[in-house]
Amino acid sequence: MSQALVPLMVLLPLLGAATALILGRHLRAQMAVSTIVLAAVAVIAATLLAEVDGADAGIVVAVGAWPPPFGIVLVVDRLSAIMIIISALMLLGVLVYAVGQGIADQHRETPVSIFHPAYLILSAGVFNAFIAGDLFNLYVGFEILLSASYVLLTLGGTGERIRAGVTYIIVSLVSSLFFLSAIALIYGATGTANIAQLSVRLAELPQDIQLILHLLLLIAFGIKAAVFPLSFWLPDSYPTAPAPVTAVFAGLLTKVGVYAIIRTETVVFPESDLSTLFLVVGALTMAIGILGALTQADIKRLLSFTLVSHIGYMIFGIGLTSVAGLAATIYYVVHHISVQTTLFLTTGLIERFGGSTSITRLGGLRGASALLAVLFFVPALNLGGIPPFSGFLGKVGLFIAGADAANRDTVTETLGTSMTGPDWLIWVVIAVGAATSLITLYALTRFWNLAFWRPRSELEGYRSHLIDSVQEAPGATIVETRTTPVAMLAATTAMVALTVALTVFAGPLFELADRAAENLRDPGTYVSLVFPEGVPR
């Protein structure tokens, strides 16, 4: 029974997209189809997570009854199930928000006949990437979600969105070219694209060949995850889209790249020696991203830069290559998906109430909506790492894992590197991470103070050192204030509640993440799951 549920996580969104396209003239029916499909996927993911966690095993489905490695294999383990359930909940919450916005605005920004089919296709691509058991199917998942994202990013057809869409398309094509080239070279060298089989066969190749193939995959996934210096495209691409689209992109799409990096490091190249590279890149991603955020007047661009900077925490956790580091990374990924999505949804509400997203044009929002002030303030504190929120717990988990790795007598065993430097480098990354957290809090509270507490009457001619160093977003404009439907407020409130729940249930969630990390640190667990009778030679 459980095996029959696995393909449904991809098939249901695809069938839902086809149904929504057929129902293009029936708006309510389209909305109902999209909502039911994503709710069903969330229930299926929860069911599968309970099964794989309770049985301490995973679920493998050979599509078309073709045994691996000859056919497509879908694999659900703890990590896959965790990623799918949080993604489904985010997609469902954003969908409710988008429906409310569309009804209020007569679907100007999210045309129903286009938005819902594209949204479900993007969902199918995300879910397919999380359960792909071979590199080529992972590539297909990426291409499905990217094809849909091109459509969603350019909804409305404005010049600004078309320009951002062109940049996004070019960068995505370059990433896909690296990924496809890596797959071709890996297949040529090993004769397979099955991830479990590659775990064995790649280890038999010469070290220099392994390094080339490894770096090709990391470049492809690094672009998708927006890792420095491959993150230059993101701050100019995401903020131009409608609020629901930006929220999904910011919350989910980069995490698909992070997920692929985790699989690469723990299964495809489990014995790699790139920990020092991960630590350096993680620190630079944190630092460059948050310094960019400090200079932004527009909250959408500010959040886009913080998105880049907080990817650095995940890269740091992966670079530790320990169970504690991976467990903290998994928890932090779940936290960041929910908090970043929520903040972009709240930004959409701010634009409706204030007519702008720039701190130079906003004021008095606390008086306009006390609820909105709370909805922004709570996830802002969370992202900034204020205790006891999940952002604080995730960062502390990463820092403790880093300190344990740095202080361990056998650093070589933990990091796969020599004793010459990685221990002090870890302390440097921890320091950068702590500073990044504080600067994130400063940038977000600066916006909150000016937008919510400053009286609107003081906007004209207002001068302050808080905004002297910030710059406006290219093409920033003031739009008319609009009514805010109950559905948008309800969806955002539910998302904020979910971010708080990650704090309330942090203990069980960390335990689940720890069990997932235990599986990841032993690539043999994944290999034996796909090939219970041994890997064919």
Side-chain angles (χ1 to χ4, degrees):
M1 178 61 182
S2 58
Q3 286 191 327
L5 294 177
V6 174
L8 289 179
M9 292 188 290
V10 179
L11 286 176
L12 284 179
L14 290 177
L15 293 174
T19 305
L21 197 57
I22 294 171
L23 297 172
R25 297 182 180 274
H26 304 278
L27 306 186
R28 293 185 182 276
Q30 268 198 336
M31 297 173 191
V33 167
S34 300
T35 304
I36 291 171
V37 164
L38 292 177
V41 172
V43 171
I44 291 171
T47 303
L48 294 176
L49 176 59
E51 179 169 339
V52 299
D53 189 44
D56 197 25
I59 302 171
V60 177
V61 176
V63 178
W66 285 88
F70 305 107
I72 295 174
V73 178
L74 305 179
V75 182
V76 177
D77 59 3
R78 288 190 178 100
L79 177 60
S80 299
I82 290 170
M83 295 301 293
I84 291 173
I85 191 170
I86 188 63
S87 300
L89 290 174
M90 292 300 105
L91 288 163
L92 184 59
V94 173
L95 178 66
V96 174
Y97 182 102
V99 167
Q101 176 177 306
I103 293 174
D105 297 343
Q106 289 79 49
H107 307 288
R108 288 193 300 270
E109 292 225 321
T110 54
V112 176
S113 59
I114 302 171
F115 174 78
H116 286 266
Y119 193 79
L120 288 174
I121 290 172
L122 179 138
S123 304
V126 170
F127 300 144
N128 184 70
F130 289 147
I131 62 176
D134 64 83
L135 289 181
F136 190 76
N137 194 30
L138 178 60
Y139 171 80
V140 171
F142 275 127
E143 292 308 301
I144 291 173
L145 70 90
L146 288 174
S147 298
S149 66
Y150 302 152
V151 177
L152 293 171
L153 191 63
T154 56
L155 284 177
T158 64
E160 186 180 23
R161 289 177 185 172
I162 295 299
R163 284 193 296 272
V166 169
T167 301
Y168 182 74
I169 289 171
I170 292 173
V171 171
S172 298
L173 288 176
V174 171
S175 173
S176 297
L177 181 61
F178 274 105
F179 191 10
L180 198 58
S181 300
I183 293 173
L185 292 172
I186 288 172
Y187 187 84
T190 63
T192 184
N194 183 280
I195 292 175
Q197 195 171 24
L198 286 174
S199 182
V200 175
R201 291 193 176 181
L202 282 170
E204 299 170 352
L205 297 177
Q207 287 295 322
D208 54 346
I209 302 297
Q210 288 189 49
L211 180 61
I212 293 171
L213 299 176
H214 193 175
L215 290 177
L216 276 175
L217 284 179
L218 289 180
I219 290 172
F221 299 147
I223 294 173
K224 296 180 188 300
V227 174
F228 179 83
L230 307 173
S231 56
F232 61 91
W233 56 273
L234 190 148
D236 289 326
S237 298
Y238 284 7
T240 61
V245 176
T246 304
V248 169
F249 280 27
L252 284 182
L253 296 197
T254 52
K255 309 313 180 300
V256 180
V258 172
Y259 169 86
I261 292 174
I262 292 175
R263 286 293 187 204
T264 300
E265 297 307 300
T266 58
V267 181
V268 182
F269 292 98
E271 303 299 327
S272 66
D273 191 16
L274 297 181
S275 296
T276 301
L277 174 64
F278 273 86
L279 296 176
V280 172
V281 169
L284 290 175
T285 302
M286 293 182 208
I288 301 301
I290 201 59
L291 290 177
L294 274 179
T295 65
Q296 302 305 314
D298 187 275
I299 184 61
K300 290 188 288 187
R301 286 180 62 83
L302 188 156
L303 289 174
S304 295
F305 276 101
T306 63
L307 166 61
V308 171
S309 71
H310 285 249
I311 295 294
Y313 289 100
M314 305 168 206
I315 300 302
F316 167 52
I318 296 170
L320 294 175
T321 70
S322 64
V323 171
L326 287 171
T329 299
I330 293 169
Y331 180 84
Y332 200 83
V333 167
V334 173
H335 146 79
H336 198 256
I337 288 174
S338 58
V339 170
Q340 197 78 43
T341 303
T342 303
L343 280 170
F344 271 103
L345 292 184
T346 310
T347 299
L349 297 179
I350 290 173
E351 189 169 21
R352 297 184 75 87
F353 274 98
S356 176
T357 52
S358 172
I359 55 176
T360 62
R361 298 190 178 100
L362 288 171
L365 287 179
R366 181 180 59 86
S369 175
L371 175 60
L372 178 59
V374 174
L375 292 179
F376 181 82
F377 191 61
V378 172
L381 290 181
N382 202 335
L383 189 67
I386 291 295
F389 291 111
S390 58
F392 170 78
L393 297 176
K395 291 182 180 72
V396 168
L398 287 168
F399 295 164
I400 290 175
D404 287 344
N407 291 329
R408 196 165 300 166
D409 291 333
T410 54
V411 176
T412 303
E413 178 181 327
T414 305
L415 297 173
T417 55
S418 66
M419 294 284 288
T420 58
D423 48 349
W424 64 260
L425 181 58
I426 292 175
W427 290 113
V428 170
V429 181
I430 290 174
V432 172
T436 298
S437 185
L438 292 174
I439 297 173
T440 300
L441 183 63
Y442 165 76
L444 291 174
T445 53
R446 176 185 63 182
F447 178 86
W448 192 80
N449 283 328
L450 292 173
F452 287 91
W453 284 94
R454 177 178 52 175
R456 196 167 184 84
S457 59
E458 294 184 5
L459 282 178
E460 188 173 351
Y462 182 86
R463 293 299 303 273
S464 168
H465 69 279
L466 292 176
I467 60 175
D468 283 343
S469 61
V470 300
Q471 58 184 15
E472 293 286 1
T477 58
I478 299 177
V479 298
E480 76 277 5
T481 57
R482 291 164 285 179
T483 58
T484 303
V486 174
M488 295 177 69
L489 287 169
T492 308
T493 303
M495 299 286 278
V496 172
L498 179 60
T499 65
V500 174
L502 295 179
T503 301
V504 176
F505 300 101
L509 288 174
F510 256 110
E511 291 174 0
L512 175 61
D514 197 57
R515 291 192 294 273
E518 289 279 0
N519 291 151
L520 291 172
R521 278 306 302 143
D522 180 12
T525 302
Y526 188 95
V527 174
S528 61
L529 185 63
V530 178
F531 296 104
E533 298 179 0
V535 180
R537 305 305 300 171

